[in-house]
């Protein structure tokens, strides 16, 4: 039998991931809480207390003073829950319930709408952001949820959240913001993306991406407790009366490492890593456009550039973990582990093979 290596790969050449090395304190906390289950708070009260603290941090980061929600397995689960909650609250409506999002929304919304069997209406983008006119024509009385993305997966764009919220209100739908990746970057920008700056109902914000917590740690936040209650089921064999999470047993490691990472980094550490990422992205974009490649201007620290297929393949063969956008551009995510030295080494290979 061919044995796979028990050594995880290093982050030296990983330019495609939206996850990163956990903060050392987050790694330690994750190890200590491996054998705890926040899904059963009556049996595991210590991690349940930590989860309340994790939510306080996420609420502070996302402008929500009295946060409700929980630490999920990731952004996919949080997005599924937003769709389920909106669908449940819209219950009693006709069978043509739909949710509206831009084409730039994460593919997890396809899983979510498939699971609960509601229609997903995808509208075009302008400049990588939801086209408001298209959203306005797509919504109707059967729209349960409008989704805005704050930091799109491909280009790091932020949808006009306040405008989307207004459109949602106009048809009595709820509005969810997917800040799975962008949530730990956006507090240091001028974007209006959070609960404080827009009348949004729910949010996905993942500690296990830019938040530097260990995987699995996703964040699901709601403004109004009723949205969480709309997800709850009774739990006969547990001491706690009900459960709103999608999974039963959950990762205490994710919860504890979220608190440890936030304690260590919020706000100044996160600000510093945002500033570093922003400068690296600007630098890489300039280097690539200086070489004559068409670059999509980074707004948040993701750089996309049109590069020939052969060059992309050569860089992959040289061990660089890079990915492509749907349009085929080379895409580099400037995560905290992506230092200027790593980008310089990448560019040296880029020049070697171009
Ligand atoms: C990564 C990502 C997701 C999915 O999160 P997982 O933790 O991978 O399940 C959802 N939305 C956006 C915008 C993302 O970047």
């Amino acid at each position: 039998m061919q044995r796979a290596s028990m050594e995880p790969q290093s982050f030296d050449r990983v330019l495609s991931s939206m996850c990163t090395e956990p903060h050392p304190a987050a790694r330690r906390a994750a190890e200590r809480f491996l054998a705890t289950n926040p899904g059963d708070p009556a049996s595991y009260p210590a991690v349940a207390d930590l989860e309340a603290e994790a939510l306080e941090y996420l609420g502070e980061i996302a402008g929500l003073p009295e946060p409700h929600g929980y630490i999920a397995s990731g952004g996919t689960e949080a997005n599924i829950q937003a769709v389920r909650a909106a669908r449940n609250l819209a219950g009693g409506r006709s069978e043509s319930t739909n949710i509206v999002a831009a084409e730039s929304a994460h593919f997890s919304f396809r899983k979510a709408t498939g699971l609960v069997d509601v229609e997903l209406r995808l509208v075009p983008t302008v400049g990588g952001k939801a086209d408001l006119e298209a959203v306005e024509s797509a919504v109707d009385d059967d729209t349960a949820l409008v989704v805005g993305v704050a930091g799109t997966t491909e280009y790091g764009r932020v949808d006009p959240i306040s405008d989307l919220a207004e459109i949602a209100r106009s048809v009595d739908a709820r509005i969810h913001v997917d800040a799975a990746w962008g949530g730990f970057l956006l507090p240091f920008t001028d974007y209006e993306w959070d609960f404080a700056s827009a009348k949004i109902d729910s949010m996905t914000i993942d500690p296990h991406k830019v938040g530097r917590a260990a995987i699995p740690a996703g964040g699901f936040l709601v403004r109004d407790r009723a949205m969480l209650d709309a997800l709850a089921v009774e739990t006969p064999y547990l001491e706690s009366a009900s459960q709103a999470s999608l999974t039963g047993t959950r990762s205490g490691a994710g919860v504890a490492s979220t608190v440890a990472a936030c304690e260590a980094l919020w706000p100044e550490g996160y600000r510093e890593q945002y500033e570093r990422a922003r400068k690296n992205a600007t630098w890489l974009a300039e280097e690539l456009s200086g070489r004559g490649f068409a670059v999509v201007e980074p707004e948040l620290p993701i750089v996309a550039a049109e590069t020939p297929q052969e060059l992309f393949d050569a860089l992959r063969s040289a061990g660089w973990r890079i990915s492509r956008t749907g349009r085929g551009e080379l895409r580099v995510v400037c995560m905290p582990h992506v230092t200027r030295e790593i980008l310089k080494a990448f560019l040296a290979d880029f020049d070697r093979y171009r």
Side-chain angles (χ1 to χ4, degrees), residues 75 79 106 108-109 147-151 176-182 202-204:
N79 286 340
H106 189 262
S108 49
F109 287 102
V147 173
V149 187
H176 175 72
V177 171
D178 183 0
W181 177 74
S202 57
M203 180 183 286
T204 294

Side-chain angles (χ1 to χ4, degrees), residues 127-128 154-157 281 284-286 288-289 293-306 325 327 329-330 332:
E154 288 202 310
Y155 299 108
R157 294 303 193 247
L284 181 64
E286 278 170 7
L288 292 175
S289 63
F293 294 91
V295 173
V296 183
E297 271 311 303
E299 289 185 13
L300 291 174
I302 295 180
V303 180
E306 276 176 40
T325 65
R327 289 208 306 242
E329 292 132 329
L330 159 76
V332 172

